[in-house]
Amino acid sequence: MKYLKQLLTAALVVSALLVVVVDGENIADIQDQPKIPPARMSAADLEKLRWIEGTWRGTGDADKHFFERYRFENATTLAVDSFDNEKLEKVTDTTLFELKDGEFGGGSEGSRWVASALDEKSVTFSPVTKARNTFRWESVDKDEWKAVLKWPATADKPARERVFKMERWPKQ
C-alpha cells in the first residue's frame, strides 16, 4: 500500500491500499468536476469486499514492487497496512477505510474518497476532498486483483489511467 498510496498521494489503497493529492490542478478544476454520489452501505454490504483481505505484492506501471496488507479490523473498518519490502517486518503506514453514517470511505493527507459502487467483485471510490481521481479495486481471482486509477481530462491534460496488478504474497 505504501507505494500505491505514494502514487495516489503524489500523483491512491492500500493497497492498497491505495491515495492521490490534487495532482497540480487548481481548485476550480476540482469544483467543476461532476460529483458522484456515495453509495449508501451497511456493515452487511462490506462483506462483499472480504475477497481483498490478505497480503499483496503490487506491480504494474510502477517502477518497483510494493507490499500491502488489507484487513478488516471490525465489521465496518478496513485497514490497509504498507510495508517497506517483501519481508513485511515493519508497517510503515496504515490507511483506514471506515463506514460512517452509511458512507464507506477513507484517505490521507487531507484527501478523501467514498465508495460510489460496491458488488461482489469490485468497489469504486470517488473523490470527495482534495482529490480528482477515482479508483477501483477489481477482483480477478482468489490470488489476484487490480487497482485501476482514473483521472479526468483538464484544460491542459488528457484523461489518464494507471493499472496496478496485486498478487497474493508470498506466493504459495
Side-chain angles (χ1 to χ4, degrees), residues 22-35 131-132 152-157:
V22 172
D23 189 31
E25 304 300 330
N26 65 41
I27 297 301
D29 286 339
I30 293 172
Q31 292 171 342
D32 291 342
Q33 195 176 318
K35 299 291 181 199
R132 299 189 66 251
T154 63
D156 59 346
K157 290 184 183 178

Side-chain angles (χ1 to χ4, degrees), residues 98-154:
E98 299 175 286
L99 180 66
K100 290 183 181 177
D101 300 323
E103 293 182 3
F104 183 59
S108 67
E109 299 182 21
S111 298
R112 179 165 166 73
W113 289 259
V114 295
S116 53
L118 172 69
D119 60 33
E120 289 77 13
K121 293 282 190 183
S122 67
V123 60
T124 301
F125 290 90
S126 298
V128 176
T129 305
K130 294 186 180 178
R132 299 189 66 251
N133 69 296
T134 61
F135 62 94
R136 181 177 176 91
W137 298 336
E138 300 176 14
S139 175
V140 174
D141 61 37
K142 69 180 187 64
D143 293 322
E144 183 181 329
W145 60 276
K146 62 183 176 177
V148 180
L149 291 67
K150 293 183 178 184
W151 290 264
T154 63

Side-chain angles (χ1 to χ4, degrees), residues 55-57 67 86-88 167-172:
T55 303
W56 306 91
R57 178 180 74 173
F67 299 87
E86 70 277 357
K87 294 179 183 178
L88 310 173
E167 299 173 303
R168 195 167 298 279
W169 186 259
K171 288 197 169 195
Q172 304 297 334

